[in-house]
Amino acid sequence: MTMASSNESPLKTALSQLRRAVEQLGLSENDWNTLSTPRRLMEVAVPLRRDNGHVEMYKGYRVQYSTTRGPAKGGIRFHQDIDLDETIALAMLMTWKCALTNLPYGGAKGGVAVDPKTLSLAENERLTRRYTSEILPIIGPERDIPAPDVGTDERNMAWIMDTYSVNAGYSVPGVVTGKPIVLGGSLGRTSATGDGVAISVREALKLRGIDPTKATVAIQGFGKVGYWAAVALEKQGLKVVAVSDVNGGVTGYKNVAEVKAHLDKTGSVVGTPGTSPLTNTELLHLAVDVLVPAALADSITEASAPGIQAKIVVEGANAPTTPQGDAIMNDKGILVVPDILANSGGVIVSYFEWVQDKQKYFWSAAEVIENLNEIMMRATKEVAEVASSRGVTWREAANMISVERVAQAHRLRGLYP
Ligand code: NAD
């Protein structure tokens, strides 16, 4: 699933970034072989009885890219364009993200190739439960812990938790994260990825000496990541000048709450009263301080990167930038906070949720935010230090730190038998 007209494959991009990290770290060919190979791939057929009685078949996937540093962890996406290759790429990114933030997890990703907008609520529930039942043998709180991603939310997580628990014979809240609070979800999880994006923006602005209360930001994608990032950034005093969704963008509103109200009413940000429309490409090219791509992969490409005027790009989405787009932004001197750092807030608070579920002891919202801040600040500091000491970009630094951690875990565990 890619945006724009680019024919980059997210897997090719992810592998080329890994190759670079392996070379920069001076790792061996053995390391490359173990690091570049996904460990478990599951493709399942998911039959769905539609409300009208027709039975349709959908393809479902679950990829456990790595379990070297702990159970696999990663989101579940419902989107018509997903395929195995993209799911592998996203599972690889999760592996580096968990290593960079030092969470005791490997990396995973999964999903169903379906447009959830075409499903009734009852159909969505049946599809979610059947998909869960197909991947049941490989998930579990000690094996692989799914979470929401594009096209899924806490309702889907509740159905997954229930399907798994019914099969186990007792409640197993720790099998998924991003659950409703009453089922063992964590305070702060809903907004966590957006809050983390805002932490990354705050730190990058500090580094560039820009006063947040005078800074402007444009956000592409107004879903779970983009919306909550917008809310947090407004709280930090930034002016969120434009937001967009799959239908296009808007500018000229008073605050993002107005846009959200229109979205809730109509299903799109487009047409918010009193706003002017703009295209997604126009949004990318606005003269703002900060640009946050928070929609899908391959948004910043050879074609779209040259027009970017922002000084800082904070990747809310996974893999929003192609290698060519990345090179162009580097030439322009743009500070790019890479996805595995910038959007790690979601998996960090997912980790907190899993810990709380295991301990049956729940934290306050303030504790969640404080711990999220601490982990993201530590990771940001490490990335900035490696970038400056090795003379590499933040993306390269982040990849080097995480790939080294996974390689080290491989070496210490050794090869069985
Ligand atoms: P979502 O489904 O809640 O929202 C996606 C948003 O992107 C929607 O506003 C949608 O209209 C918009 N969009 C879709 N296609 C678009 C297009 N072609 N052009 C412009 N906008 C488009 O999804 P989400 O959970 O917010 O995820 C967004 C990105 O962030 C994904 O790359 C996801 O993998 C990543 N991410 C999500 C989380 C999380 O906790 N949800 C965590 C880390 C990373």
Side-chain angles (χ1 to χ4, degrees):
M1 170 177 54
T2 55
M3 298 175 68
S5 55
S6 156
N7 54 9
E8 300 290 338
S9 116
L11 183 55
K12 251 175 79 185
T13 303
L15 280 169
S16 77
Q17 283 170 7
L18 171 62
R19 183 86 233 180
R20 180 136 178 87
V22 164
E23 283 164 10
Q24 285 172 321
L25 289 162
L27 298 180
S28 69
E29 203 53 27
N30 283 349
D31 288 325
W32 163 256
N33 288 337
T34 49
L35 293 165
S36 61
T37 309
R39 294 317 170 88
R40 188 179 271 157
L41 314 177
M42 194 172 199
E43 181 175 321
V44 295
V46 190
L48 168 69
R49 189 181 318 102
R50 300 299 296 240
D51 293 340
N52 65 11
H54 289 161
V55 174
E56 288 171 3
M57 304 299 291
Y58 292 90
K59 273 191 179 162
Y61 307 96
R62 187 70 185 166
V63 171
Q64 295 171 351
Y65 192 86
S66 171
T67 49
T68 305
R69 299 179 68 261
K73 181 95 191 80
I76 287 181
R77 195 175 270 206
F78 281 7
H79 192 284
Q80 58 278 16
D81 295 339
I82 64 163
D83 57 26
L84 189 59
D85 262 23
E86 184 184 41
T87 309
I88 295 170
L90 292 169
M92 191 199 307
L93 280 187
M94 281 306 296
T95 306
W96 312 142
K97 197 181 297 180
C98 293
L100 180 66
T101 45
N102 249 326
L103 307 180
Y105 290 135
K109 203 81 182 189
V112 180
V114 64
D115 178 358
K117 288 197 206 81
T118 63
L119 303 174
S120 69
L121 187 63
E123 289 169 343
N124 195 327
E125 175 171 357
R126 287 198 290 277
L127 190 78
T128 304
R129 288 186 183 278
R130 183 58 188 253
Y131 167 69
T132 307
S133 130
E134 296 298 335
I135 64 166
L136 204 73
I138 65 167
I139 61 170
E142 304 302 334
R143 294 168 185 270
D144 180 358
I145 307 119
D149 192 68
V150 176
T152 59
D153 59 20
E154 62 172 37
R155 204 170 40 196
N156 299 89
M157 299 306 114
W159 293 326
I160 295 175
M161 179 267 193
D162 183 68
T163 305
Y164 189 92
S165 298
V166 166
N167 276 272
Y170 56 97
S171 275
V172 190
V175 66
V176 282
T177 57
K179 294 180 297 294
I181 305 288
V182 290
L183 295 179
S186 176
L187 293 172
R189 174 63 185 88
T190 312
S191 60
T193 311
D195 288 338
V197 167
I199 293 171
S200 287
V201 171
R202 185 190 69 203
E203 295 308 305
L205 286 173
K206 233 187 262 170
L207 212 88
R208 286 283 150 113
I210 302 172
D211 177 355
T213 61
K214 298 201 174 72
T216 53
V217 54
I219 303 177
Q220 181 186 48
F222 203 62
K224 293 184 290 296
V225 180
Y227 167 66
W228 288 108
V231 170
L233 287 166
E234 268 190 356
K235 272 198 203 134
Q236 287 180 18
L238 284 90
K239 175 102 186 107
V240 184
V241 294
V243 298
S244 71
D245 62 23
V246 66
N247 302 305
V250 287
T251 183
Y253 45 82
K254 264 209 305 293
N255 54 45
V256 291
E258 282 179 9
V259 185
K260 178 70 160 88
H262 185 75
L263 170 70
D264 288 346
K265 229 184 327 169
T266 66
S268 177
V269 301
V270 176
T272 302
T275 61
S276 318
L278 76 173
T279 66
N280 266 290
T281 308
E282 285 166 348
L283 180 143
L284 294 180
H285 295 164
L286 287 174
V288 285
D289 296 296
V290 185
L291 175 65
V292 177
L296 303 178
D298 288 3
S299 155
I300 301 177
T301 63
E302 210 172 354
S304 64
I308 293 179
Q309 301 188 62
K311 303 175 187 86
I312 296 164
V313 169
V314 175
E315 295 184 334
N318 283 312
T321 305
T322 66
Q324 293 87 342
D326 211 23
I328 293 166
M329 288 199 289
N330 290 331
D331 286 348
K332 288 161 82 95
I334 299 172
L335 172 59
V336 180
V337 184
D339 46 8
I340 60 170
L341 176 60
N343 70 31
S344 63
V347 72
I348 293 170
V349 178
S350 272
Y351 165 64
F352 299 160
E353 180 174 333
W354 181 72
V355 167
Q356 292 170 74
D357 287 339
K358 279 169 97 74
Q359 297 187 336
K360 313 269 183 276
Y361 178 77
F362 290 87
W363 308 358
S364 68
E367 278 171 287
V368 170
I369 280 286
E370 189 188 326
N371 285 299
L372 168 65
N373 210 33
E374 190 188 316
I375 293 181
M376 286 205 63
M377 297 273 288
R378 194 195 314 139
T380 305
K381 191 161 166 266
E382 286 171 350
V383 170
E385 275 170 10
V386 171
S388 115
S389 69
R390 300 287 303 256
V392 297
T393 66
W394 277 39
R395 187 188 312 284
E396 289 170 323
N399 286 338
M400 286 169 74
I401 293 167
S402 49
V403 168
E404 172 57 28
R405 281 186 188 147
V406 178
Q408 191 189 9
H410 274 301
R411 281 195 294 273
L412 289 169
R413 285 183 63 153
L415 180 61
Y416 174 87

